[in-house]
Amino acid sequence: MEPISSVNGKVWGTGRHTTVTGVLFSFAIVVAVVTMMVLNALDHVAQKSNVLDDERSRETMSGALQTFAAQLAATLNDYAAWDDAATNVYAADGMPWTISNYGEMSVNSSLFDVAIVIGDDKKPIMAYRDGKPMDGSLDDFFAPSLWALFDRVKAAGTQDIPEATGFVGTQSGIAVVGVALVREKSGALSVPAGRHRYLIFARHLDAHRIDELGTTYVIAGLRKVAPDFAARYFVDIGDAQGKSLGKLIWTPRAPGDIGYSEVRPKVVQALCLVGLFFLVLLIIGWMAGRRLKAEEVNAREDALRDRLSGLLNRDGLRLAVDALVAASTQSKQNVLVLYLDLDGFKEVNDAYGHGTGDQLIRAVAAGLKVLIPDGAVLARIGGDEFAIAFASNDAEAAALQLSEHILDFLAEPLEIGRRVVVIGASIGIAVSAGGTVGREELVRRADLAMYKAKEAGRARMTLYDPAMDADREERNALELDLRMAIEGGDLALAYQPLIDASSHEMTGVEALVRWNRPGHGPVSPEVFIPIAETSGLIEALGLFVLRKACETAKQWPELRISVNVSPGQFRNPAFTDYVRYVLRQTDIAAKRVTLEVTEGYMIQNPQRTRQSIERLKTLGVTIALDDFGSGFSSIGYLRQFGFDRIKIDRSLVMEIQESDSQREMLQATVALARSLDIPVTAEGIETEEQAVIVSLFGCDTLQGYFFGKPMPAEQITERLHEARARKMKSHRTNAA
Ligand code: C2E
Ligand code: CA
Ligand code: CA
């Protein structure tokens, strides 16, 4: 399982994907729309220029037709208004002239192909076509509009030129036909009306002529079509009576289309380039965005990681356990969570510095990584706290086995740089069967179980038990009450006599704190001192005891006063200053004060301990090692700390009467201490025999129920009075 990246990767991945396709899609649409708009505009321009060109072609063509007709009209004028013609056409013997000058001229003439001379009665006098006499009547050949032209000529007054030209349908197609009165050049004619003669020229608009026109005017595909032919651009050929004879059409040059088709690829190319440019910009932007995203993802993942160990941090664990619990509600597996607190990490940190502490954390992280099962989540959730979570078909068994491996691993001395350190761990275990217990509760249970493991002593594992919650609640309530008691000064002190072994006189007292918890009765310091230690109340409590003890001891000038100091107080570098302050405030001689310290703290933190003891000794107080023999250290080892006194633990004294070995051990211990010039106090003396034995072995101070239980200050005062009275009495007896 890769807990975090998979949990979050999915979510982040999808979002990124959607936006990229979205942007690319909109970009493609924009490029397509722009391309279409540009092409559309170009098409519009092309169409426009096509239209303009077609219109120009039409104007050209209609001009060409007019020219075509005008040429015939000019020719006709030349031939009809001709002095020779005015003579010969009207002459009785004029036929040969007429035929050779008109009829025969119609062959191969580009000017006219039909030449006819008629009289006023419309009867042909001569009719030639293509140089040969024509057959049939004129009405068969020409459409009636010929006579419209004729009538116009006939009706022409003296002012008007007796000529008319127009298009006329013929048997062979369409021709421009001109009718003119044959007359002198000057227009004069001696022949009277009624005997006039007229010259008719026709020029056919045949395929050949049309081709010529097309070539001359540069109009491609020019051709003639029927009047009903549908065409967008054409030139109509109408006769004198306004009837359409046909149309001239042509192949549009469509210069716009040509230009468009030439320009289009270039435009598309240019747009593609622009598109490409923006695409590149977009890709660069997208990549930059992706890099930012990736950085963001990294940052988010970083936020879930512990820098030092590279493991998940508390947030990372939260997500991972959430995922595990969610998955196991489906799979019906159990989720196991182990909380692990290193023992002695603080001491390593204090003794060798943070560098070594960091290395230790990394070493532990590396070791745990190897030990945890595949797919397990490993997190560092605090200075020296780790958590492991995994899903398993087993319930506790898997977790207990793993814990055992971890404790074995941590029991071995660890080599950190050139140093070898010994640590351990307390492990709490909680199980969510089939994901039924949510993450928050699961983690809380593992945490609670871990505290229980720690309380029970180091290097232990504890499985969560619902009874722990009740314990916890009780403990919390007790902590609250204790806090109030400290703040309200509701703690009391009891004093236990310290007896000189040779004189059997009380030479000092040990101050022991007492708490009568409201509604509960007296609570043993063995119960509430550890709670004060873990809840940060110990400093206030310790200070209260020290001050109160010193104040009280002022009334007992002949007694020394011993005060217990917790490791929690001792660890504080400012502790010496507190002590100095209290000594001054209570105005008690430092040499009367003994501070009792247990060995636990020193072993883990020898250097610091030495420094603290040295500093305290400069104040003039005595430092005693309390509970010696309950731990594992030898006097030889502890000598380095410069203790002024050793207190042999009650457990060593208890069995000296029953057990020879115990007695020998005690004897050896005391002998060794004395050889080092360290005086020894024996605690827990309950019988006279014990008192005799420990005195014989060399203990100079005795403490225990046999001499007196811890008692209120008044009783100590009373004892002192009695002792003084006894002394006075013996003085007097001696004197007497
Ligand atoms: P300790 O410093 O070893 O104190 C001696 C304990 O042994 C006291 O228990 C005392 O009542 C008990 N004791 C003395 N003589 C005998 C005996 O002959 N037989 C038996 N069975 N017990 C005897 P107490 O007062 O319950 O204190 C327990 C522990 O609590 C102390 O052990 C000390 O470690 C801690 N403590 C007590 N007062 C203070 C305090 O003011 N500050 C700190 N830091 N710790 C304290
Ligand atoms: Ca003590
Ligand atoms: Ca003790």
Side-chain angles (χ1 to χ4, degrees), residues 489-547:
D490 295 335
L491 297 174
L493 291 190
Y495 299 89
Q496 187 174 29
L498 295 164
I499 308 298
D500 182 83
S502 44
S503 68
H504 286 228
E505 274 185 28
M506 177 164 69
T507 53
V509 287
E510 177 177 359
L512 293 159
V513 69
R514 293 290 175 263
W515 179 32
N516 192 6
R517 186 180 174 199
H520 288 79
V523 183
S524 163
E526 271 164 335
V527 171
F528 69 82
I529 292 291
I531 292 175
E533 293 240 16
T534 53
S535 58
L537 294 170
I538 192 66
E539 294 209 8
L541 187 149
L543 216 60
F544 167 83
V545 173
L546 183 65
R547 179 178 293 127

Side-chain angles (χ1 to χ4, degrees), residues 39 63 70 133 196 207 258 274 311-312 415 468 482 505-506 547 692 722-723:
L39 290 181
H196 284 171
I258 295 166
V274 169
L311 306 179
L312 295 181
E415 226 183 285
M468 289 177 181
L482 180 61
E505 274 185 28
M506 177 164 69
R547 179 178 293 127
V692 171
E722 284 167 17

Side-chain angles (χ1 to χ4, degrees), residues 496 510 512-514 524-526 529 545 564-566 569 596 626-627 650 683-686 704-705 710:
Q496 187 174 29
E510 177 177 359
L512 293 159
V513 69
R514 293 290 175 263
S524 163
E526 271 164 335
I529 292 291
V545 173
N564 294 287
V565 172
S566 270
Q569 295 170 267
E596 297 187 5
D626 202 358
D627 298 345
R650 184 160 59 89
E683 319 184 290
I685 308 293
E686 295 187 350
Y705 290 175

Side-chain angles (χ1 to χ4, degrees), residues 308-336:
L308 176 58
S309 62
L311 306 179
L312 295 181
N313 60 17
R314 199 175 275 275
D315 288 339
L317 177 77
R318 224 175 40 220
L319 285 177
V321 174
D322 273 340
L324 278 175
V325 169
S328 57
T329 41
Q330 306 286 316
S331 66
K332 297 290 162 225
Q333 281 193 314
N334 302 313
V335 180
L336 308 179

Side-chain angles (χ1 to χ4, degrees), residues 342-345 347-348 352 360 410-416 419-425 458 603-604:
L342 297 185
D343 300 329
F345 172 73
E347 285 73 16
V348 170
Y352 304 125
L360 176 62
L410 290 175
E412 299 288 326
L414 281 171
E415 226 183 285
I416 303 295
R419 295 200 164 87
V420 175
V421 300
V422 183
I423 50 164
R458 297 173 163 209
I603 295 167
Q604 274 135 18

